[in-house]
Amino acid sequence: MSYTNFKIETDADGIALVTWDMPEKSMNVFTEEVMDELDAIVDQTTADAAVNGVVFTSGKSSFSGGADLSMIKSMFTLHAEEKKNDPANAAQKLFNLVGRMTGLFRKLETSGKPWVSAINGTCMGGAFELSLACHGRVAANSKSVKIALPEVKVGIFPGAGGTQRVPRLTNTQDALQMMTTGSSLTAARAKAMGLVHEVVDPEKLVEAAKAMIKNGLKPVQPWDEKGFKLPGGGVWTPASAQLWPAASAILRRETYGNYPGAIAILKCVYEGLQVPFDTGLKIEQRYFTEILQTTEAFSMVRSLFVSMQELGKGARRPAGVPKSEFRKVGVVGAGFMGASIAYVTAAAGIPVTLIDRDMEAAEKGKAHSEGLVKDSVSKGRLTKEEGEALLARITPSADYGDLKDAGLVVEAVFEDRQVKKDVIEKVEAVIAPDAIFASNTSTLPITGLAGNSKRPEQFIGVHFFSPVEKMMLTEVILGKETGDKALATALDYVAAIKKTPIVVNDTRGFYVNRCVFRYIHEAYDMLIEGVPPAMIENAAKMAGMPVGPLSLNDEVAIDLSQKILKATVADLGEKAVDPRHMELVNKMVDELDRRGRKNGKGFYEYPAKPAKKYIWPGLKELYPQKAADKVDVEVLKQRFLVTIALEAARTIEEGIVTDPREADVGSILGFGFAPYTGGTLSYIDGMGAKAFVELCEKLAEEHGDHFKPTPLLKEMAEKGETFYGRFDPYGQAQKAA
Ligand code: NAD
């Protein structure tokens, strides 16, 4: 029999080598067709008396990324349709559907033939669950081997036996840690945990897997043997009595109960370890069915997997512009941002010319990369040669003439119109007529800056976030005259440096900073009302924000907030800012010299390490304090999420952001907006526009007009619309989604 996605070669010893190699895909993933074929392969190898065992491997450089989450997304849509037609049967259908993979893997492991998984690279999710169902697992001793069950990161959990097999192979604590964080294991770590049996040189992988079978590997899993004992002891042991209360407490501390998928992992393991294996699988299947019906799972899969992938692949790239090849990128301004932009560009294999006002400043910019490379080499993330090659790609210079052959120049000089004007003119005097100029400005409108350019259609904003090495988002800003080639080039560049782009139209603060300042300003309001500062910070984290607003303001600098407020007054008049906010930042900066982390004094105090930062005690003296028990934490949580989501809705209404995927992904990658919501607009869609409008009206009554719902939201509430329905990114009327 022949298969589309697999190749089978049986050797003289009767060992069938099944190689998974999906045509026209760079990565193997589980699809309906893959499961059908795998099912047939299990039947075929089981029935064939000439087959003594099976080695399962991949024909690609990686093993597999796991389930095709687009398939899961369509499962959600299917379920939503079913639910409308036949609610009683919809859940049962979903239950049967999610049991498909579990059943297939169980069939494989009880087939009576020994199966060995030969893991040659990244092995994630369903692919590792398949490997766990094999009787033997061999991994290549290679940096490219990354083993993980990362489902929790997209709101679901390992639902194809993972929650039952992992804690039957390793101790419960490690099993829980692996699954609730979704973090990757190296081959060596997986072996130490008992999750793989052998780690061998990559070229000996298949040979070692075959040898396991030849050496008499039993086709029976430990849990199917009589007298099987759990490696971590059962649930009713003294060790477990220590573990379980701590496990739920830690999960609560880390996630504030916001992630149903993570909680389900604990339930599956706790309940599953007390019953026979097959019953454990049933328990997992039931929880998985439940989790798939949560708003969190739906929104997280959509934003954090599907949309992120679509944006990364250039969903917004204009068609018809040939793909850009970057033979050289120029970076002008080798300061805090420019130095990092040069690093990520060189790390992507692109030669960079890094310009500053003099050679010393340019070299100082390159020194940033030298530090990062040194660190990576010492940690084994880069070889010495790779590090040297990376650094060789960065050429510091003070001569604009060196930019003449750059196809793209990114400007990151001082945030000053005159300085930028000067740089734009100097760069344009040397670059080729078709080269693209990108500004990394964070506050100056692109259209205004492009006024200094002789070719505004080739002028664009490429806004990075700090720290550039870590932040995965880049905002691409279109000026009024920006043309398709500039947009395509910017998106190709963002893809080359492996970041996710969102494309936004020109406005003060663009998208991300507009939302971020709403978050910070809500905290100012709370401070002024006398909410205890610690409650402000904790409520934000309980709402799912990674960093409290006061802490965040310290990081971005309070004097920057002051500068932005002042600029807003200068451009738009006094009424454009809240005078109480102005008073607060003026007091912090001008009177108290508390500028944030950078001068060691802000809303927090920063004592010498190893002591931790703590909220500045004087903050409580600035405003009369409310008693903590008179403040409703739930309302504080809502205020943070609602004020940000409302701002996102305004950007859509104003035509700044045009695609809901970008608002959602941008909010999560840009400032960590409560990821369990799926992002700012999914948060609104998740509760429904009607409920959101009601919530806004209630908050507006008590906490100010900035909570008033916008006309668009009111209209959507009336019509029962969603953002993804009304601003359908797929161009079809999918009102229900
Ligand atoms: P910085 O002061 O650290 O660096 C600016 C660099 O530009 C300095 O090295 C300076 O010598 C150089 N420079 C000034 N005039 C120049 C000229 N005429 N020719 C060549 N080089 C010149 O500032 P930064 O924080 O890196 O910010 C740079 C830009 O990035 C600004 O537009 C800022 O708004 C934007 N930005 C900053 C952040 C951030 O977090 N700091 C985030 C996003 C965007």
Side-chain angles (χ1 to χ4, degrees), residues 366 378 526:
K366 179 169 175 174
S378 75
M526 292 178 189

Side-chain angles (χ1 to χ4, degrees), residues 332-339 341 355-358 361 400 411-416 419-420 422-423 426 439-444 463-466 513:
V332 184
F336 179 68
M337 295 299 284
I341 296 169
I355 304 262
D356 209 298
R357 289 175 291 185
D358 51 49
Y400 280 77
E411 162 282 304
V413 297
F414 299 142
E415 189 74 338
D416 179 294
V419 175
K420 294 219 192 262
D422 189 42
V423 166
K426 277 189 181 149
S439 173
N440 179 45
T441 177
S442 31
T443 56
L444 304 172
H463 183 216
F464 285 87
F465 295 90
S466 146
N513 285 344

Side-chain angles (χ1 to χ4, degrees), residues 337-578:
M337 295 299 284
S340 292
I341 296 169
Y343 174 79
V344 296
T345 309
I350 303 170
V352 185
T353 298
L354 179 59
I355 304 262
D356 209 298
R357 289 175 291 185
D358 51 49
M359 199 57 190
E360 197 188 336
E363 272 169 357
K364 193 166 161 239
K366 179 169 175 174
H368 172 72
S369 292
E370 285 159 0
L372 291 175
V373 164
K374 199 168 156 210
D375 190 48
S376 292
V377 171
S378 75
K379 289 188 176 136
R381 285 197 218 116
L382 280 182
T383 63
K384 199 162 162 274
E385 294 69 36
E386 286 166 341
E388 280 166 4
L390 191 161
L391 290 175
R393 284 192 282 271
I394 304 177
T395 311
S397 167
D399 179 3
Y400 280 77
D402 290 344
L403 294 173
K404 66 176 185 307
D405 46 354
L408 168 72
V409 174
V410 183
E411 162 282 304
V413 297
F414 299 142
E415 189 74 338
D416 179 294
R417 281 196 176 93
Q418 193 50 45
V419 175
K420 294 219 192 262
K421 175 175 187 287
D422 189 42
V423 166
I424 293 163
E425 287 166 358
K426 277 189 181 149
V427 171
E428 285 191 354
V430 293
I431 53 175
D434 62 344
I436 302 299
F437 188 101
S439 173
N440 179 45
T441 177
S442 31
T443 56
L444 304 172
I446 293 301
T447 308
L449 285 179
N452 302 307
S453 166
K454 287 205 184 77
R455 32 197 164 175
E457 71 287 355
Q458 281 155 243
F459 197 102
I460 194 161
V462 174
H463 183 216
F464 285 87
F465 295 90
S466 146
V468 176
E469 294 81 10
K470 286 214 180 105
M471 296 293 286
M472 294 314 299
L473 186 75
T474 307
E475 239 173 341
V476 173
I477 298 116
L478 301 174
K480 273 217 170 67
E481 293 181 59
T482 304
D484 277 0
K485 172 148 193 271
L487 175 58
T489 307
L491 292 178
D492 290 344
Y493 170 63
V494 174
I497 57 172
K498 297 193 177 65
K499 304 216 180 275
T500 305
I502 60 168
V503 180
V504 304
N505 287 312
D506 209 7
T507 178
R508 175 179 296 275
F510 312 132
Y511 171 66
V512 168
N513 285 344
R514 270 181 68 162
C515 293
V516 166
F517 280 102
R518 284 287 174 182
Y519 179 48
I520 290 174
H521 290 171
E522 200 56 33
Y524 290 175
D525 279 356
M526 292 178 189
L527 276 177
I528 293 161
E529 287 166 28
V531 177
M535 277 187 92
I536 298 175
E537 294 291 85
N538 287 337
K541 284 191 237 154
M542 288 165 80
M545 301 300 290
V547 183
L550 301 175
S551 180
L552 181 67
N553 201 175
D554 271 5
E555 295 300 324
V556 300
I558 304 172
D559 54 344
L560 180 69
S561 293
Q562 184 192 35
K563 234 171 135 182
I564 292 173
L565 285 176
K566 281 188 175 164
T568 310
V569 171
D571 293 349
L572 305 176
E574 295 278 347
K575 282 210 175 106
V577 307
D578 185 331

